[in-house]
Amino acid sequence: MLEQWYNGTVTRIVDETYNTRRFWIQIPDMDLFDFKPGQFVTLDLPIHENKHKRWRSYSIASHPNGSNEIELVIVLLEGGAGTTYLFNEIKEGSSLLLRGPLGKFVLPEVLDKDLFLVCTGTGIAPFRSMAKYIHLHNIPHKNIYLIYGSRYIKDLLYPGEMGELQAAHPGFYYLPTLSREDSTDWTGRKGYVHTIYEEMLEGGNKPANFFLCGWKNMINEARQRILDLGYDRKDIHLELYD
């Protein structure tokens, strides 16, 4: 079955950091854009004659809220044709061709194990959707650990919002770590994401599901380290960003 494409209208654009933007897109042909937290949409951008070289996929950063509007958070990639077009050509009121929701990177039906949500960069998008959905719908769960790696303070996405969610939601832990920050303004964790989950799981494995989202190198390393801790491949779920 061929997926249907829809015309979306960009209703709002906000700079989240120096090189990332939040895009709100409304799909007028739908009363409700129904998706599961963790899914993505594919945009067809007018950047190439070959359709497969025009398609760019982005995780939905917003949670299902009963509307026909979604939010994407996108980083400007140096030399990237897709993001250069989105940043230079797309304004509020612009149209975008999209299809979705797509993907199976979604929460288990029953959250009866600890959740380790491990991400880098804009890989936080699907986990923001998941965490807010769980919170707003009071879904029973074990501990949820959002382990988020960036290079510098200026790279962090949604830090205030994630801190507020941690304060309001028992059992949700926001654990950002910075790999290159040397400012005294940062009093949080330093280093890479792997150290955090390895330290937490030291001394015996408890039942857990691992969701990994971000750059390929981080995911490949995390997958191997988690397997080395004694977990099974079925405990590990991936969403790879090229």
Side-chain angles (χ1 to χ4, degrees), residues 17-21 23 73-88 122 215:
T17 70
Y18 67 100
N19 69 343
T20 58
R21 278 186 189 163
F23 294 81
V73 60
I74 297 173
V75 61
L76 178 61
L77 297 175
E78 190 174 341
T83 58
T84 297
Y85 174 82
L86 287 168
F87 274 61
N88 290 348
T122 54
W215 300 114

Short mmCIF file of all heavy atoms in Angstrom, two decimals, residues 17-21 23 73-88 122 215:
data_model
loop_
_atom_site.label_atom_id
_atom_site.label_comp_id
_atom_site.label_asym_id
_atom_site.label_seq_id
_atom_site.Cartn_x
_atom_site.Cartn_y
_atom_site.Cartn_z
N THR A 17 17.96 26.58 19.44
CA THR A 17 19.35 26.90 19.76
C THR A 17 19.93 27.64 18.56
O THR A 17 19.22 27.96 17.61
CB THR A 17 20.19 25.63 20.03
OG1 THR A 17 20.38 24.92 18.79
CG2 THR A 17 19.54 24.72 21.06
N TYR A 18 21.24 27.87 18.59
CA TYR A 18 21.90 28.60 17.51
C TYR A 18 21.83 27.85 16.18
O TYR A 18 21.94 28.45 15.11
CB TYR A 18 23.37 28.85 17.87
CG TYR A 18 24.19 27.58 17.94
CD1 TYR A 18 25.01 27.19 16.90
CD2 TYR A 18 24.10 26.75 19.07
CE1 TYR A 18 25.73 26.01 16.95
CE2 TYR A 18 24.82 25.58 19.14
CZ TYR A 18 25.63 25.20 18.09
OH TYR A 18 26.33 24.03 18.15
N ASN A 19 21.64 26.51 16.21
CA ASN A 19 21.60 25.77 14.95
C ASN A 19 20.45 24.78 14.85
O ASN A 19 20.45 23.88 14.02
CB ASN A 19 22.92 25.03 14.72
CG ASN A 19 23.14 23.88 15.70
OD1 ASN A 19 22.47 23.82 16.74
ND2 ASN A 19 24.07 23.00 15.39
N THR A 20 19.45 24.93 15.72
CA THR A 20 18.26 24.08 15.61
C THR A 20 17.00 24.95 15.61
O THR A 20 16.96 25.99 16.27
CB THR A 20 18.14 23.07 16.76
OG1 THR A 20 18.12 23.78 18.00
CG2 THR A 20 19.28 22.08 16.75
N ARG A 21 16.00 24.49 14.89
CA ARG A 21 14.72 25.20 14.83
C ARG A 21 13.58 24.24 15.09
O ARG A 21 13.64 23.06 14.72
CB ARG A 21 14.52 25.83 13.44
CG ARG A 21 15.23 27.15 13.29
CD ARG A 21 14.90 27.82 11.98
NE ARG A 21 15.77 28.96 11.79
CZ ARG A 21 15.97 29.58 10.65
NH1 ARG A 21 15.33 29.17 9.56
NH2 ARG A 21 16.78 30.60 10.56
N PHE A 23 9.75 23.54 14.15
CA PHE A 23 8.77 23.82 13.10
C PHE A 23 7.44 23.19 13.50
O PHE A 23 7.38 21.98 13.73
CB PHE A 23 9.21 23.20 11.76
CG PHE A 23 10.46 23.80 11.16
CD1 PHE A 23 11.72 23.40 11.60
CD2 PHE A 23 10.38 24.73 10.14
CE1 PHE A 23 12.88 23.92 11.04
CE2 PHE A 23 11.53 25.26 9.57
CZ PHE A 23 12.78 24.87 10.02
N VAL A 73 11.78 19.18 15.43
CA VAL A 73 12.95 19.97 15.81
C VAL A 73 14.10 19.49 14.91
O VAL A 73 14.40 18.30 14.84
CB VAL A 73 13.30 19.84 17.31
CG1 VAL A 73 13.60 18.41 17.71
CG2 VAL A 73 14.45 20.77 17.68
N ILE A 74 14.69 20.45 14.19
CA ILE A 74 15.62 20.09 13.11
C ILE A 74 16.92 20.86 13.28
O ILE A 74 16.92 22.06 13.54
CB ILE A 74 14.98 20.40 11.74
CG1 ILE A 74 13.71 19.53 11.56
CG2 ILE A 74 15.96 20.16 10.60
CD1 ILE A 74 12.89 19.87 10.33
N VAL A 75 18.04 20.14 13.12
CA VAL A 75 19.36 20.77 13.22
C VAL A 75 19.86 21.08 11.81
O VAL A 75 19.69 20.29 10.88
CB VAL A 75 20.36 19.86 13.98
CG1 VAL A 75 20.56 18.52 13.28
CG2 VAL A 75 21.70 20.58 14.18
N LEU A 76 20.47 22.24 11.65
CA LEU A 76 21.04 22.64 10.36
C LEU A 76 22.36 21.89 10.16
O LEU A 76 23.32 22.09 10.91
CB LEU A 76 21.28 24.15 10.34
CG LEU A 76 21.93 24.71 9.07
CD1 LEU A 76 21.05 24.45 7.84
CD2 LEU A 76 22.21 26.20 9.22
N LEU A 77 22.39 21.02 9.17
CA LEU A 77 23.59 20.24 8.88
C LEU A 77 24.42 20.97 7.85
O LEU A 77 23.91 21.38 6.80
CB LEU A 77 23.22 18.86 8.36
CG LEU A 77 22.44 17.95 9.33
CD1 LEU A 77 22.04 16.66 8.64
CD2 LEU A 77 23.27 17.65 10.57
N GLU A 78 25.70 21.12 8.12
CA GLU A 78 26.59 21.82 7.19
C GLU A 78 26.64 21.05 5.87
O GLU A 78 26.96 19.87 5.83
CB GLU A 78 27.99 21.91 7.80
CG GLU A 78 28.91 22.81 7.02
CD GLU A 78 30.25 23.01 7.71
OE1 GLU A 78 30.35 22.75 8.92
OE2 GLU A 78 31.20 23.41 7.02
N GLY A 79 26.25 21.72 4.79
CA GLY A 79 26.25 21.08 3.49
C GLY A 79 25.05 20.19 3.23
O GLY A 79 24.95 19.56 2.18
N GLY A 80 24.12 20.15 4.18
CA GLY A 80 22.93 19.31 4.02
C GLY A 80 21.88 20.00 3.17
O GLY A 80 21.37 21.06 3.53
N ALA A 81 21.54 19.41 2.03
CA ALA A 81 20.59 20.05 1.10
C ALA A 81 19.21 20.21 1.74
O ALA A 81 18.55 21.24 1.56
CB ALA A 81 20.50 19.24 -0.18
N GLY A 82 18.78 19.19 2.47
CA GLY A 82 17.44 19.24 3.06
C GLY A 82 17.31 20.31 4.12
O GLY A 82 16.38 21.14 4.08
N THR A 83 18.22 20.32 5.08
CA THR A 83 18.09 21.30 6.16
C THR A 83 18.43 22.72 5.68
O THR A 83 17.84 23.68 6.19
CB THR A 83 18.99 20.92 7.37
OG1 THR A 83 20.35 20.84 6.95
CG2 THR A 83 18.55 19.60 7.96
N THR A 84 19.31 22.84 4.72
CA THR A 84 19.58 24.17 4.15
C THR A 84 18.31 24.75 3.52
O THR A 84 17.98 25.93 3.71
CB THR A 84 20.70 24.09 3.10
OG1 THR A 84 21.90 23.66 3.74
CG2 THR A 84 20.94 25.46 2.46
N TYR A 85 17.57 23.90 2.82
CA TYR A 85 16.30 24.35 2.23
C TYR A 85 15.31 24.75 3.32
O TYR A 85 14.68 25.81 3.25
CB TYR A 85 15.71 23.25 1.35
CG TYR A 85 14.34 23.59 0.82
CD1 TYR A 85 14.19 24.39 -0.31
CD2 TYR A 85 13.19 23.14 1.47
CE1 TYR A 85 12.93 24.73 -0.79
CE2 TYR A 85 11.92 23.47 1.00
CZ TYR A 85 11.80 24.27 -0.12
OH TYR A 85 10.56 24.61 -0.58
N LEU A 86 15.17 23.91 4.34
CA LEU A 86 14.21 24.19 5.40
C LEU A 86 14.54 25.48 6.13
O LEU A 86 13.65 26.26 6.48
CB LEU A 86 14.17 23.01 6.38
CG LEU A 86 13.48 21.74 5.86
CD1 LEU A 86 13.77 20.57 6.78
CD2 LEU A 86 11.98 21.95 5.72
N PHE A 87 15.82 25.73 6.38
CA PHE A 87 16.22 26.92 7.13
C PHE A 87 16.19 28.18 6.28
O PHE A 87 15.87 29.26 6.79
CB PHE A 87 17.63 26.72 7.72
CG PHE A 87 17.64 26.02 9.05
CD1 PHE A 87 17.16 24.73 9.17
CD2 PHE A 87 18.14 26.64 10.19
CE1 PHE A 87 17.16 24.06 10.39
CE2 PHE A 87 18.14 25.99 11.42
CZ PHE A 87 17.66 24.70 11.52
N ASN A 88 16.49 28.06 5.00
CA ASN A 88 16.58 29.26 4.15
C ASN A 88 15.29 29.61 3.43
O ASN A 88 15.02 30.78 3.17
CB ASN A 88 17.69 29.08 3.10
CG ASN A 88 19.08 29.09 3.72
OD1 ASN A 88 19.23 29.44 4.88
ND2 ASN A 88 20.07 28.68 2.94
N THR A 122 19.32 15.97 18.22
CA THR A 122 17.88 16.01 18.00
C THR A 122 17.23 14.64 18.23
O THR A 122 16.01 14.51 18.11
CB THR A 122 17.55 16.51 16.59
OG1 THR A 122 18.24 15.70 15.63
CG2 THR A 122 17.93 17.96 16.41
N TRP A 215 22.91 9.75 16.54
CA TRP A 215 23.90 9.49 15.49
C TRP A 215 24.36 8.05 15.52
O TRP A 215 24.41 7.41 16.56
CB TRP A 215 25.08 10.44 15.63
CG TRP A 215 24.67 11.88 15.53
CD1 TRP A 215 24.73 12.82 16.51
CD2 TRP A 215 24.11 12.53 14.39
NE1 TRP A 215 24.23 14.01 16.04
CE2 TRP A 215 23.85 13.87 14.75
CE3 TRP A 215 23.80 12.11 13.09
CZ2 TRP A 215 23.29 14.79 13.87
CZ3 TRP A 215 23.24 13.03 12.21
CH2 TRP A 215 23.00 14.36 12.60
#
